[in-house]
Amino acid sequence: MSSEFGNLLRVSVFGQSHGRAIGVVVDGLPAGEAVDREELQRFLDRRRPGGSPLSTARRETDVPEFLSGLEDGRTCGAPLCAVIQNADQHSKDYGGLQDKPRPGHADYTAWAKWGGQADMRGGGHFSGRLTAPLCVAGGIAKQILARRGVFVGAHLAAVAGIPDRPFPLRPTAALFEEIAARPFPVLDEAAGERMRSAILEAKNGLDSVGGVIECAATGLPAGLGEPMFGGVENRLAAALFGIPAVKGVEFGEGFRAAGLRGSENNDPFTVEDGQIRAESNRAGGILGGITTGMPLVLRAAVKPTPSIGRPQKTVRLSAMEDTDLTIHGRHDPCVAHRAVPVVEAVAAAVLLDMLLEGNHGTF
Amino acid sequence: MSSEFGNLLRVSVFGQSHGRAIGVVVDGLPAGEAVDREELQRFLDRRRPGGSPLSTARRETDVPEFLSGLEDGRTCGAPLCAVIQNADQHSKDYGGLQDKPRPGHADYTAWAKWGGQADMRGGGHFSGRLTAPLCVAGGIAKQILARRGVFVGAHLAAVAGIPDRPFPLRPTAALFEEIAARPFPVLDEAAGERMRSAILEAKNGLDSVGGVIECAATGLPAGLGEPMFGGVENRLAAALFGIPAVKGVEFGEGFRAAGLRGSENNDPFTVEDGQIRAESNRAGGILGGITTGMPLVLRAAVKPTPSIGRPQKTVRLSAMEDTDLTIHGRHDPCVAHRAVPVVEAVAAAVLLDMLLEGNHGTF
Amino acid sequence: MSSEFGNLLRVSVFGQSHGRAIGVVVDGLPAGEAVDREELQRFLDRRRPGGSPLSTARRETDVPEFLSGLEDGRTCGAPLCAVIQNADQHSKDYGGLQDKPRPGHADYTAWAKWGGQADMRGGGHFSGRLTAPLCVAGGIAKQILARRGVFVGAHLAAVAGIPDRPFPLRPTAALFEEIAARPFPVLDEAAGERMRSAILEAKNGLDSVGGVIECAATGLPAGLGEPMFGGVENRLAAALFGIPAVKGVEFGEGFRAAGLRGSENNDPFTVEDGQIRAESNRAGGILGGITTGMPLVLRAAVKPTPSIGRPQKTVRLSAMEDTDLTIHGRHDPCVAHRAVPVVEAVAAAVLLDMLLEGNHGTF
Amino acid sequence: MSSEFGNLLRVSVFGQSHGRAIGVVVDGLPAGEAVDREELQRFLDRRRPGGSPLSTARRETDVPEFLSGLEDGRTCGAPLCAVIQNADQHSKDYGGLQDKPRPGHADYTAWAKWGGQADMRGGGHFSGRLTAPLCVAGGIAKQILARRGVFVGAHLAAVAGIPDRPFPLRPTAALFEEIAARPFPVLDEAAGERMRSAILEAKNGLDSVGGVIECAATGLPAGLGEPMFGGVENRLAAALFGIPAVKGVEFGEGFRAAGLRGSENNDPFTVEDGQIRAESNRAGGILGGITTGMPLVLRAAVKPTPSIGRPQKTVRLSAMEDTDLTIHGRHDPCVAHRAVPVVEAVAAAVLLDMLLEGNHGTF
């Protein structure tokens, strides 16, 4: 239940940030699907901290090793297991944290849940590092989807309150690729410049910032998803909240819709080239939990990185007394930009799973 | 998968708004739990459209009949089935809709999914009416939780952009009851008055408005929830998106956290009466998907009712051509206030399920 | 988890034998499927105790009422709920049992699980009566499968150690119908006569007998099922053990295979009319958990009815002392013949669920 | 769905017999549990083919490497991943099999399911080799259970029709250990001698034999398991059929019960030392799917190894014509004795999962 999601396509993530290795088992991939390792690596590299001052100075190579599930570069029907070695472990950076839970981190909740057995070094299993194997699973899902005309892309919709342009009504695969190729995944490069300044400013202030990621999927058939609790929104949200630091998920206008009138929020239907379309897409491509055939659009809110260099108030667990904590080590002043491919990965895996349920309930 | 949620506690909703009856099967309730029928009815009445001009003029008595699962007023271990007859069916109000999907409704997606077999009269299985059986399940869950010191309450955080006060840092069971007893579920009655005016204004304009519901749960132990995909956020979100019209879910500061700095968003830990607490609760009582022991706080965005009296653009499915549609019948100019107990119900059922998983993973 | 099975097709049974009603919710049926009510009733009548001396004297009409999920005689995509009223309740027949658990029944285990809250009157939720709603779900599944050329049939392979002939290598739909039309579901009517005598003899001795049911499914594609734990055997067995009194499940030669040599048990492949077939079917149509395209063959062992008229040793729970028990009331001297359609029902529901997963993992 | 089982404790197996490595992810283990690596290795060694002439000549070291989930020799709450390298790969032994499916193997069904993408070398993911990671998961579960007084043991109940003695009414942990320490896992060593002769005789005849494994669990509380489809039988059977070559599963008297009378098969209750016991245990410790507190007893039928040295009839897939096949390579003339710890492992993992669901449905 805990580190897995999916129904016919099961994605099971394992590993701790400062253990020997992290990885993923993906069970239920269709057989015979080519996995383009270079394309996958380019996808993984998008979440990797580079030499950029915007991210942690830790170096992670993030090259997955496939233990099973691939034969001659193609999926073979058996569960795929990919492992990524943890080369650059500095668990000493976290020495002394065991007794002082970091505010905003899962240190305290892990301790409350598991007591002394919890691995608090580097956030253990809660670390953002675990999103690397998620990207392996999702990167493969993206390749399979693309072969069937379903494209998933994302951009940074906001950082520190600075907004990017939203996706156009009909984003294209070419647009997704263009953003993916950029060092900073925004539509409006001027906005991106301001975001980067805000990140650096926070970093210089030993602080951090959060952001919002907007993700879209095109090419989905109308009619995907089940009523009520088996809807596209339910399943995407259930998985997206598994990405560390995500605190909100919305579809289409989302929270903004709550402030609109029905006459503003309803998307008028129209016939276009013999197909039913909507003239706007405030529903984010989903009505009643089921796809409309318009682009699926969602947004995920990423909180500011809780690891900051400023002194913070916390408690000493062993003594049950208030204390101060200064976190040293190499931290991301912002993880939202690195989380962009992670949101794509999770969305792709969920959508592939739902498409695999196949035939929309008939056979 | 579709009209069900839960793991050890399974809630399975059935029925169509204009069929003979709607209902729910709840499997996995602990045995020996008293069900106070009067308290349950008061809870159900909170979502019932009254004679109020703020809601539909449809009268629904919503008195559940228990076919199984109760012996002498107590749960007996067998699945509980409750049925609510559909007394006030006016399916003629929906005559002619079959061929013209209502914008913002699931008519079109149901048609895309199931073709001519979809029941479009009154929204069928997608109707808000299906939230009545959800409230039966959740109302019973609330009673069981309350007996163990876990209280769930909610209020209208906003309507049409008009905000209520947020919950205080430590909402009490008494506060939850106070709001529940009010005809309009807000903390700030003056704000409630403005919200009501906005609803009536929209109604007079043959239009509708949306809103935001804030829900809290107190008394939860620290350590509830599993890492990554089995977290409290994942499971609550997965179920909450099953409430019709919900388009966004956030926890704690949610989307607002994306605009804060880490130093603002991190909740400092402190020791209070020998217990670890947080001085603020921007995390909404959840870190790493696991409860901190602080109140759990979430918000759900409810879109404006798609059924509005104004003429709207849509298509004629049989002819594949553009057309106009004017919806007659009795509609809610806002459903957000009626959805307040529904959010409580779903949250209570999910939290009871997670508590039933018991022992927090040990035995 | 408890009274439900299925993945895309969820069957959720509710009710107690001596409560107001029993029923089933079936979620995930393909939409637009006609339900032939007369054919369904004929199927349900096969498990109903008749006026026959072989079964209980209780009269059950077992006519399901559909509360949802059907529109104009066809499934509409929404969950189907069927309810059967409990007309002939004689709960006084069970008076006094509360304190003395019946050997071989779930009385004691229900008490151990739920204490005084368990409903022991008539076996409550554990009763064979709950197989009626299972047959509603399975009877509808059988109709849907038959429309696609998949036929499910069963016969009594043994009663009280008296064997029927096994199914031929390739049983036909006509053979299934022939058996279903018989008052006693055997292939060899002479064997059936001996079985009936054995049942009556046991009845006259205030005792009961058990039996074995053989079930086959034809027309399944090769390639259905997933490796290891998602195989056809896993899923069928998981559901079949939910039929009260089933204590063993085997596929193909099953336990007999354990005494054979590999050269005897392996089914040689051959090409027949351009298709790959097996010359024998000791595998029961399943290799590695996946269908071969040969008929699927399984057997379920049904224990002798635990309710017998003879005095039995048991305990008085309130006093924790040994005592005697004589069960009065109307009991089946054998339930195996009535369980034949139940095995078909469960098998059909599981197979439909697996076929709905669709396209064998591709889309 | 496919290579996984469990609810709160998820066991996910990956790997192919002739790939780089095989392994398992176990998610949901309680935290803080010591894993005794030496004891685990002794358990794994029980299924390992030794230098014994009774088994394949393949050497497998089967030493698991733990990538995650253990900190200082204890579980830490994060998913545990164990990997076993495939050192002794002779995939050339299987050269040429791709086009000729081996009778009794999953070669043909894998081909039917996945076409040319199936990995038929060495049975791929269907291989008995995959039971090694299952034993890692189950061996750890056994250690955790034993710490709480729950013991799981098994013996070879029959090989080639030659029966061992059954377990006594109350098998002890000491008896389980005694059997486990023997080179051939039987109660009656004389019977074991005859079984070994039968295996060698089959081997000399280029043939194979099957067997039956009896497994018991002691120390379980009464009241474990849920009614109908969540029973102990349902869940054990669902997992046990995932062990390659298992074709039947029964509990207590199982198929023999079908030939008994009720008066013979019912276990009389009695009070013993202030506890409710049964005087016999034909129910195998389970009534209504729920444990009685008596030892849980089950049997699994293992078919004769399909890989035999004799020439067999099969088909050439590329030409769709009949052909002959002679399998070379190193094969087990019997796998039943090696499957004894595997049955223990699977039973232990399922029982731990059910115990973890905790509190038997209450909190």
Side-chain angles (χ1 to χ4, degrees), chain B residues 234-280:
Chain B
N234 308 254
R235 289 176 63 172
L236 281 165
L240 288 165
F241 276 111
I243 302 174
V246 168
K247 294 299 282 186
V249 171
E250 62 181 10
F251 296 87
E253 289 298 301
F255 277 87
R256 285 187 300 270
L260 298 177
R261 286 206 164 184
S263 58
E264 296 167 314
N265 191 58
N266 286 350
D267 301 308
F269 291 112
T270 188
V271 175
E272 204 180 287
D273 302 328
Q275 304 264 311
I276 294 168
R277 302 280 184 227
E279 293 186 350
S280 53

Coordinates of all heavy atoms in Angstrom, one line a residue, chain B residues 234-280:
Chain B
N234 N -2.8 11.2 0.2 CA -3.1 10.4 -1.0 C -4.5 9.8 -0.9 O -5.3 9.9 -1.8 CB -2.1 9.2 -1.2 CG -0.7 9.6 -1.1 OD1 0.0 9.6 -2.2 ND2 -0.1 10.0 0.0
R235 N -4.7 9.2 0.3 CA -6.0 8.5 0.5 C -7.2 9.5 0.6 O -8.3 9.2 0.1 CB -5.9 7.5 1.6 CG -5.0 6.4 1.1 CD -4.7 5.4 2.1 NE -5.8 4.7 2.5 CZ -5.8 3.6 3.3 NH1 -4.6 3.1 3.7 NH2 -6.9 3.0 3.7
L236 N -7.0 10.6 1.3 CA -8.1 11.5 1.4 C -8.4 12.1 0.1 O -9.5 12.3 -0.3 CB -7.7 12.6 2.4 CG -7.9 12.2 3.9 CD1 -7.2 13.2 4.8 CD2 -9.4 12.2 4.3
A237 N -7.3 12.5 -0.7 CA -7.5 13.1 -2.0 C -8.3 12.2 -2.9 O -9.2 12.5 -3.6 CB -6.2 13.6 -2.6
A238 N -7.8 10.9 -2.9 CA -8.4 9.9 -3.8 C -9.9 9.8 -3.6 O -10.7 9.7 -4.5 CB -7.7 8.6 -3.6
A239 N -10.3 9.9 -2.3 CA -11.8 9.8 -2.0 C -12.5 11.1 -2.3 O -13.6 11.2 -2.8 CB -11.9 9.3 -0.6
L240 N -11.9 12.2 -1.9 CA -12.5 13.5 -2.0 C -12.8 13.9 -3.4 O -13.9 14.6 -3.7 CB -11.7 14.6 -1.3 CG -11.6 14.6 0.2 CD1 -10.5 15.4 0.8 CD2 -12.9 15.0 0.9
F241 N -12.0 13.5 -4.3 CA -12.3 13.8 -5.7 C -13.5 13.0 -6.2 O -13.9 13.2 -7.4 CB -11.0 13.6 -6.6 CG -10.1 14.8 -6.6 CD1 -8.9 14.7 -6.1 CD2 -10.5 16.0 -7.2 CE1 -8.0 15.8 -6.1 CE2 -9.6 17.1 -7.3 CZ -8.4 17.0 -6.7
G242 N -14.0 12.1 -5.4 CA -15.2 11.4 -5.8 C -16.4 12.1 -5.5 O -17.5 11.7 -5.9
I243 N -16.3 13.2 -4.8 CA -17.5 14.1 -4.5 C -17.7 14.9 -5.8 O -16.8 15.6 -6.2 CB -17.3 15.0 -3.3 CG1 -16.9 14.2 -2.1 CG2 -18.5 15.9 -3.1 CD1 -16.5 15.0 -0.8
P244 N -18.9 14.8 -6.3 CA -19.2 15.6 -7.6 C -18.8 17.1 -7.4 O -19.1 17.6 -6.3 CB -20.7 15.4 -7.8 CG -21.0 14.1 -7.1 CD -20.1 14.1 -5.9
A245 N -18.2 17.7 -8.4 CA -17.9 19.1 -8.4 C -16.6 19.5 -7.7 O -16.2 20.6 -7.9 CB -19.0 20.0 -7.9
V246 N -16.0 18.6 -7.0 CA -14.7 18.9 -6.4 C -13.6 18.9 -7.5 O -13.5 18.0 -8.3 CB -14.3 17.9 -5.3 CG1 -12.8 18.1 -4.9 CG2 -15.2 18.1 -4.1
K247 N -12.9 20.0 -7.6 CA -11.8 20.2 -8.7 C -10.5 20.4 -8.1 O -9.5 20.6 -8.8 CB -12.2 21.3 -9.6 CG -13.5 21.0 -10.5 CD -13.3 19.8 -11.4 CE -12.5 20.1 -12.6 NZ -12.6 18.9 -13.6
G248 N -10.4 20.5 -6.8 CA -9.1 20.7 -6.2 C -9.1 20.3 -4.7 O -10.1 20.4 -4.0
V249 N -7.9 19.8 -4.3 CA -7.8 19.4 -2.9 C -6.4 19.8 -2.4 O -5.4 19.6 -3.1 CB -7.9 17.8 -2.7 CG1 -7.6 17.4 -1.3 CG2 -9.4 17.4 -3.0
E250 N -6.4 20.4 -1.2 CA -5.1 20.9 -0.7 C -5.0 20.6 0.8 O -6.1 20.6 1.5 CB -4.8 22.3 -1.0 CG -5.8 23.3 -0.4 CD -5.5 24.8 -0.8 OE1 -4.6 25.0 -1.7 OE2 -6.1 25.6 -0.2
F251 N -3.8 20.5 1.4 CA -3.6 20.2 2.8 C -2.8 21.4 3.4 O -1.8 21.8 2.8 CB -2.9 18.9 3.0 CG -3.8 17.8 2.5 CD1 -3.7 17.4 1.1 CD2 -4.7 17.1 3.3 CE1 -4.6 16.3 0.7 CE2 -5.5 16.1 2.8 CZ -5.5 15.7 1.5
G252 N -3.2 21.8 4.6 CA -2.5 22.8 5.3 C -2.5 24.1 4.4 O -3.6 24.4 3.9
E253 N -1.4 24.7 4.2 CA -1.4 25.9 3.4 C -1.6 25.6 1.9 O -1.9 26.5 1.1 CB 0.0 26.7 3.5 CG 0.1 27.4 4.8 CD -0.9 28.4 5.1 OE1 -1.0 29.4 4.3 OE2 -1.6 28.3 6.1
G254 N -1.4 24.4 1.5 CA -1.7 24.0 0.1 C -1.0 24.8 -0.9 O 0.2 25.0 -0.9
F255 N -1.9 25.3 -1.9 CA -1.3 26.1 -2.9 C -0.6 27.4 -2.4 O 0.3 27.9 -3.1 CB -2.4 26.5 -4.0 CG -2.6 25.3 -5.0 CD1 -3.5 24.3 -4.7 CD2 -1.9 25.3 -6.1 CE1 -3.6 23.2 -5.6 CE2 -2.0 24.2 -7.0 CZ -2.9 23.2 -6.7
R256 N -1.1 27.9 -1.3 CA -0.5 29.1 -0.8 C 1.0 28.8 -0.3 O 1.8 29.7 -0.4 CB -1.3 29.7 0.4 CG -2.6 30.4 0.0 CD -3.2 31.0 1.2 NE -3.6 30.1 2.2 CZ -4.7 29.4 2.3 NH1 -5.7 29.6 1.4 NH2 -5.0 28.6 3.3
A257 N 1.2 27.6 0.1 CA 2.6 27.2 0.5 C 3.6 27.4 -0.6 O 4.8 27.8 -0.4 CB 2.6 25.8 1.0
A258 N 3.1 27.3 -1.8 CA 4.0 27.4 -3.0 C 4.5 28.8 -3.1 O 5.6 29.0 -3.8 CB 3.3 27.0 -4.3
G259 N 3.9 29.8 -2.5 CA 4.4 31.1 -2.6 C 5.1 31.6 -1.3 O 5.6 32.7 -1.3
L260 N 5.2 30.7 -0.4 CA 6.0 31.1 0.9 C 7.4 30.7 0.8 O 7.8 29.9 0.0 CB 5.3 30.4 2.1 CG 3.8 30.7 2.4 CD1 3.3 29.9 3.5 CD2 3.7 32.2 2.7
R261 N 8.2 31.2 1.7 CA 9.6 30.8 1.9 C 9.6 29.6 2.9 O 8.7 29.5 3.8 CB 10.4 31.9 2.4 CG 10.7 32.9 1.3 CD 11.9 33.7 1.6 NE 12.4 34.3 0.4 CZ 13.6 35.0 0.4 NH1 14.3 35.1 1.5 NH2 14.0 35.6 -0.7
G262 N 10.6 28.8 2.9 CA 10.7 27.7 3.8 C 10.7 28.2 5.3 O 10.0 27.6 6.1
S263 N 11.3 29.3 5.5 CA 11.3 29.8 6.9 C 9.9 30.3 7.4 O 9.7 30.3 8.5 CB 12.3 31.0 7.0 OG 11.9 32.0 6.1
E264 N 9.1 30.6 6.4 CA 7.7 30.9 6.7 C 6.8 29.7 6.8 O 5.8 29.7 7.6 CB 7.1 31.8 5.7 CG 7.8 33.2 5.5 CD 7.3 33.9 4.2 OE1 7.3 33.3 3.2 OE2 7.0 35.1 4.3
N265 N 7.1 28.7 6.0 CA 6.2 27.6 5.9 C 6.5 26.5 6.9 O 5.6 25.7 7.3 CB 6.2 27.0 4.5 CG 5.2 26.0 4.2 OD1 4.0 26.3 4.3 ND2 5.6 24.8 3.9
N266 N 7.7 26.3 7.3 CA 8.1 25.3 8.3 C 7.4 25.6 9.6 O 7.5 26.7 10.1 CB 9.6 25.2 8.5 CG 10.3 24.6 7.3 OD1 9.7 24.0 6.5 ND2 11.7 24.7 7.4
D267 N 6.8 24.6 10.2 CA 6.2 24.8 11.5 C 7.2 24.4 12.6 O 7.6 23.2 12.7 CB 4.9 23.8 11.7 CG 3.9 24.1 10.6 OD1 3.5 25.3 10.5 OD2 3.4 23.2 10.0
P268 N 7.6 25.4 13.5 CA 8.6 25.0 14.5 C 8.0 24.0 15.5 O 6.8 24.1 15.9 CB 8.8 26.4 15.2 CG 8.2 27.4 14.3 CD 7.2 26.8 13.5
F269 N 8.8 23.1 15.9 CA 8.3 22.1 16.9 C 8.6 22.7 18.3 O 9.5 23.5 18.5 CB 9.1 20.8 16.8 CG 8.8 20.0 15.6 CD1 9.7 19.8 14.6 CD2 7.5 19.4 15.5 CE1 9.4 19.1 13.5 CE2 7.2 18.6 14.4 CZ 8.1 18.5 13.3
T270 N 7.8 22.3 19.2 CA 8.0 22.8 20.6 C 7.4 21.7 21.5 O 6.6 20.9 21.1 CB 7.3 24.1 20.8 OG1 7.7 24.6 22.1 CG2 5.8 24.0 20.8
V271 N 7.9 21.7 22.8 CA 7.3 20.8 23.8 C 6.3 21.6 24.6 O 6.6 22.7 25.1 CB 8.4 20.2 24.7 CG1 7.8 19.4 25.8 CG2 9.4 19.4 23.8
E272 N 5.1 21.0 24.7 CA 4.0 21.6 25.4 C 3.4 20.6 26.3 O 2.9 19.6 25.8 CB 3.0 22.1 24.3 CG 2.1 23.3 24.7 CD 1.2 23.6 23.5 OE1 1.7 24.2 22.5 OE2 0.1 23.3 23.6
D273 N 3.4 20.8 27.6 CA 2.8 19.8 28.5 C 3.4 18.4 28.2 O 2.6 17.4 28.2 CB 1.3 19.7 28.3 CG 0.6 21.1 28.6 OD1 1.2 21.9 29.4 OD2 -0.4 21.4 28.0
G274 N 4.7 18.4 28.0 CA 5.3 17.1 27.8 C 5.0 16.4 26.5 O 5.4 15.2 26.3
Q275 N 4.4 17.1 25.6 CA 4.0 16.6 24.3 C 4.7 17.4 23.2 O 4.8 18.6 23.4 CB 2.5 16.6 24.0 CG 1.7 16.0 25.1 CD 1.3 14.6 24.7 OE1 0.8 14.4 23.6 NE2 1.5 13.6 25.5
I276 N 5.0 16.8 22.1 CA 5.6 17.5 21.0 C 4.4 18.1 20.2 O 3.5 17.4 19.8 CB 6.5 16.6 20.1 CG1 7.7 16.2 21.0 CG2 6.9 17.4 18.8 CD1 8.5 15.2 20.3
R277 N 4.5 19.4 20.0 CA 3.5 20.1 19.2 C 4.2 21.0 18.2 O 5.4 21.1 18.2 CB 2.7 21.1 20.1 CG 2.0 20.4 21.3 CD 0.7 19.8 20.8 NE 0.0 19.2 21.9 CZ -0.5 18.0 21.9 NH1 -0.3 17.2 20.9 NH2 -1.2 17.5 23.0
A278 N 3.4 21.6 17.3 CA 4.0 22.6 16.4 C 3.4 23.9 16.7 O 2.2 24.0 17.2 CB 3.7 22.2 14.9
E279 N 4.2 25.0 16.6 CA 3.7 26.3 17.0 C 2.7 26.9 15.9 O 1.9 27.8 16.2 CB 4.9 27.2 17.2 CG 5.7 26.9 18.4 CD 6.8 27.9 18.7 OE1 7.0 28.8 17.8 OE2 7.4 27.8 19.8
S280 N 2.8 26.4 14.7 CA 1.9 26.8 13.7 C 1.5 25.4 13.0 O 2.0 24.4 13.3 CB 2.5 27.7 12.7 OG 3.7 27.2 12.2

